[in-house]
Every structure is written in structure tokens, then in C-alpha cells.
Amino acid sequence: MINNKETLMSFRAKLQKVIGSIQSSYSVQAVSSGMMMLLPVMMVGSIVAVLNSLNIESYQALLVATGLKSAFKVASVVTMNVISLYVVVAIAYKMAELHKKDGILAALMGLMAFLFITPMKTNGIAAIDLLYVGSRGMIVAMLVGLFATRFYIFLLNRKLTIKMPDSVPDFVSKSFSSLIPAFIIAVVFALINALVGLTEFDNVHNLIYSIIQVPLQGLGASLAAALLIVFLAEFLWFFGIHGSMATSAILYALFYPFDIANLEAFQAGQALPFIVTMTFINAQKGPRYLALSILLVRCKSQQMKSLGKIGFIPGCFGISEPYKFGLPMVLNPILFLPLIFAGTINVGLSYFATLIGIIPRVNGMPLPTAGTPEIIKGFMIGGWQMAIWHVVLLVVAMLVYFPFVRYMDRQKLSIEQAATEK
């Protein structure tokens, strides 16, 4: 038993070291934190999409009569339809911040580099083609945000700057110090754009879309990818590693563009293209901690019942830490199976329920992983059908956890009774 425990602790230490090194990567941190910065923009676009799409004839007539229909259309354009512009700015800013450089200037460099490789329509009026700055351009925006900023930082570190006297105000000095890097970045990305323009792809966006984004979409849109990412997150939690944080960069890079594509289709009144999205994975794991709360409150052991009462409100909002470290679920072999499989089973069931039309595809509305009330979360991403489905997922999660919680309850009750008799 001691050897098994020592082996488990040794494996945990090695796993934490590997995951820690991945999480400490500046690129991973920049993508994760940069994409999180977009939540306000995404929420504005999502709410506007919902308000604009309510299929009530009198309501739609009111929107047209008051001019709100046009206003909602503008709001959609400046949020969801140009989301890649926000992506490149946010990631470039965070990357520079991690390197202790000026984030605003880095964000401007990243945006400039992105625009250099983005096709523009020039039929009389120069205009950015929205095809390349919406969901389709997100992978390019992520890559440019990372590499253009890295290149900018490299140039700064090599002292390829204009040094101003100390008497010059700081903001002026920073601007001049970025002049040479800005010219070099402009030349490099203009050259890249020109060279790719000589190929069959015509532009960088088409190149990246063809060789990276399409294969990623094929991988990310699959049930296997969804189940793997859920399994991995919960497996890491068992060893005390924050699974959601560890997998966040994968979710944002691989699945977030699918949410944007679904939301764009939802706004346009078109069929939603993807089943598996980041919102789908996060939401369809279901209210499993609310399920656990309900079971714990009904336990006979005072310890487990008390923990259920303490964690009930957090559980209603999808917050699991009271149970992860209170029961505990971390390094607890009794709860290993339900920890791993409660969310995985719910995601699998949700996929097939969507595939056969029991529930709609998620509309792409971004929701915080924790903090949105369960059941209401389902209503927000898929209407009343999804809300009812989340009640079903609640029951499923209770069935998964029940035998293991019951076994632990008997153990704890036996210990409490033995202590009382003494």
C-alpha cells in the first residue's frame, strides 16, 4: 500500500513538472490569457445576435421601425465579423506583457503585420475583406500575434532602436524606439505576402486555412477530440493539476473558432456548421457538481452532508474546488472513475443527442467555465430544449456518482459512529 502511494505521488510529481513546463510557455499563456480578454467583445456580439434573431413577427417589425435592426447589424460587424482583429491585438499584447515589453506598441505591430497579409478589395474603394477577419482568420491571427510579437521583441533586444535623450518624455521615446522594428516587420510581412501571392494559394490566409485550419477543423470537430479533451482535463484534476487551465490553450486554439463560426451562422439565420465547439465541451459536461451536491446533502455522514451544504451554492454555478479538495477528489481512488467519466459520458450523450436532433447545436455564445448558473447555462446556448437536456445530464451525473458517494458515505459514517462510541 505504501509502495503504491509512493508510486502515485512520484507519478504526480512528474506529471506536474511536465504540465507546469507547458503552462509556463509564453506562447501558451499568451493564447490563453489573450483569448480570455475577448470575453466582453464576444458577449456583446452574442447578446446582439440573440436579440436580433428572436423569431417573433411583431418584435422584428418593431426592430425595423425603430432602426434597431440596422444598429444590431452594425454591432455584429464590429464584434463577431472582425473577431480576428481583436484576437491578434489581445495575443500580441499579452505576449509583450509576458516579456516585460510595452503591450500597446506590440499590439500595434501585430495588427499591422496581420493587415499586411490580409487581402483587401480595391474595386474603387480599398476595403478589408470580412471573409478573412472573422472566424476563418482566427488561426492566422493567433499565429501572427505570437510570431510578429516575438520578432518585435527580438529586434528590441538586439538594440535595433532609436535611442532618445533621457529628457524626452517616455511615451515619445518608446515610439521612436519602435520605428526601426516597425519598418523591419512591415518589410518582412509584406515580402511574405508577396511571395505567397505567387503561389496557387494567392494569400497567407488561404495557405494557413488549407494546410492548418482545415485539418484542425476535421480533428477538432470530432467526438473523439471532445472526449479526449474532457478526459484529459479531469485526469489532470485527479493529480491536483488544474485541468481546465492546463487544457485552455488547446480549447481556444482548436475549438474556439467553431464557436465563432456557429455564432456567425446564428446571426445570419443559417444552419449552424459545428456540433463540437469550445462552448459545447465546457457546457455539455453538464451540472455534475450540482449533482454531487444533491447526493452529498442526502448523505448520512455528518462530514459529507456538511460539505454538501457548503458546496451546494458553488456547485450550482459549476464551481468544483470545494469538492476537489474538500472530499477530496484529488488522489482519491474511490472517486477516480466518476471524476473521469461523469463529464465524459455527458459530452458523449450530448453529441449523439445533437446528431439525431433531440437538442439543437450550441449557438456559440461564450460562457465562463464557472460562474454561469447550471440549467440556465443550457438555456443560453440552446433554448428550452437545451435547458431540459441539462436536467437530463444532471440525473445522469447523479447516477454515475451515486454508488461511489454511497460507499464513501458508509465509510465516513462508520468512522463517525466509532468515534462517538469511544
Side-chain angles (χ1 to χ4, degrees):
M1 181 69 180
I2 294 176
N3 289 335
N4 288 340
K5 186 175 181 180
E6 289 177 351
T7 302
L8 190 63
M9 294 301 292
S10 176
F11 179 74
R12 177 191 182 186
K14 292 178 181 178
L15 188 62
Q16 284 180 324
K17 185 176 180 179
V18 172
I19 297 300
S21 64
I22 294 173
Q23 286 185 294
S24 64
S25 164
Y26 281 176
S27 295
V28 171
Q29 291 183 57
V31 170
S32 298
S33 55
M35 297 298 287
M36 288 178 188
M37 288 176 65
L38 301 183
L39 184 61
V41 176
M42 289 287 294
M43 287 303 298
V44 170
S46 302
I47 292 170
V48 166
V50 172
L51 292 176
N52 193 42
S53 304
L54 291 175
N55 192 21
I56 303 173
E57 187 175 344
S58 57
Y59 172 76
Q60 289 293 326
L62 177 64
L63 293 183
V64 173
T66 58
L68 287 175
K69 193 75 174 177
S70 299
F72 285 162
K73 185 175 182 180
V74 171
S76 297
V77 170
V78 301
T79 54
M80 308 313 305
N81 292 0
V82 295
I83 192 65
S84 292
L85 300 179
Y86 295 103
V87 169
V88 69
V89 167
I91 290 177
Y93 180 90
K94 283 296 182 181
M95 176 63 82
E97 195 177 60
L98 289 167
H99 282 87
K100 310 300 182 185
K101 303 297 183 183
D102 189 282
I104 296 298
L105 286 170
L108 291 175
M109 297 300 110
L111 180 60
M112 178 183 69
F114 181 78
L115 292 176
F116 261 109
I117 62 171
T118 300
M120 294 194 181
K121 298 177 180 178
T122 55
N123 296 331
I125 300 176
I128 298 174
D129 192 339
L130 293 182
L131 173 67
Y132 299 106
V133 293
S135 60
R136 177 166 171 160
M138 285 185 70
I139 298 297
V140 177
M142 290 179 190
L143 294 174
V144 172
L146 293 174
F147 291 118
T149 309
R150 284 276 194 176
F151 188 38
Y152 171 65
I153 293 167
F154 171 82
L155 296 173
L156 291 180
N157 290 339
R158 292 300 180 276
K159 307 299 182 183
L160 293 173
T161 60
I162 298 174
K163 181 67 176 176
M164 301 298 289
D166 293 338
S167 58
V168 175
D170 186 56
F171 72 92
V172 176
S173 180
K174 285 182 178 179
S175 296
F176 271 89
S177 69
S178 297
L179 277 177
I180 294 177
F183 276 109
I184 295 174
I185 290 170
V187 170
V188 168
F189 278 85
L191 183 60
I192 291 172
N193 185 58
L195 291 175
V196 176
L198 299 176
T199 69
E200 61 180 316
F201 296 106
D202 188 52
N203 60 70
V204 175
H205 283 262
N206 290 340
L207 172 66
I208 298 299
Y209 187 78
S210 299
I211 68 174
I212 297 179
Q213 191 158 343
V214 170
L216 282 179
Q217 285 182 347
L219 171 65
S222 67
L223 173 61
L227 296 180
L228 178 61
I229 201 74
V230 174
F231 176 88
L232 179 61
E234 302 300 350
F235 180 78
L236 292 175
W237 261 122
F238 178 76
F239 292 96
I241 300 168
H242 199 301
S244 300
M245 291 296 293
T247 58
S248 62
I250 300 173
L251 283 169
Y252 278 118
L254 195 57
F255 298 98
Y256 204 48
F258 303 155
D259 272 315
I260 306 298
N262 273 13
L263 193 54
E264 288 175 345
F266 181 73
Q267 290 173 325
Q270 300 169 352
L272 307 186
F274 296 105
I275 294 179
V276 177
T277 70
M278 182 172 170
T279 297
F280 175 89
I281 292 173
N282 285 335
Q284 303 296 34
K285 287 185 284 189
R288 58 204 189 285
Y289 296 111
L290 176 57
L292 186 56
S293 299
I294 295 171
L295 292 175
L296 289 175
V297 168
R298 297 179 61 83
C299 282
K300 296 179 180 179
S301 160
Q302 287 301 314
Q303 180 183 341
M304 295 185 71
K305 181 179 291 187
S306 298
L307 184 60
K309 292 177 180 178
I310 293 171
F312 189 87
I313 298 300
C316 290
F317 291 87
I319 298 171
S320 62
E321 279 75 4
Y323 300 136
K324 292 282 175 59
F325 301 104
L327 272 174
M329 302 175 81
V330 172
L331 293 178
N332 184 345
I334 297 173
L335 294 178
F336 176 75
L337 289 178
L339 171 64
I340 294 294
F341 290 111
T344 308
I345 290 171
N346 278 350
V347 168
L349 290 175
S350 298
Y351 182 89
F352 288 110
T354 306
L355 200 62
I356 63 179
I358 294 176
I359 55 175
R361 300 187 180 199
V362 296
N363 56 25
M365 178 177 286
L367 297 174
T369 305
T372 307
E374 302 290 359
I375 313 301
I376 294 176
K377 183 187 298 182
F379 179 80
M380 293 175 69
I381 64 172
W384 63 268
Q385 300 106 311
M386 196 71 81
I388 294 175
W389 178 251
H390 275 219
V391 175
V392 174
L393 296 182
L394 173 68
V395 175
V396 171
M398 290 177 68
L399 292 175
V400 172
Y401 269 107
F402 176 74
F404 302 94
V405 171
R406 187 180 181 187
Y407 178 79
M408 274 192 69
D409 185 36
R410 288 175 174 173
Q411 279 191 331
K412 299 287 185 182
L413 182 61
S414 178
I415 293 172
E416 290 173 0
Q417 288 175 342
T420 302
E421 289 173 2
K422 290 180 181 180

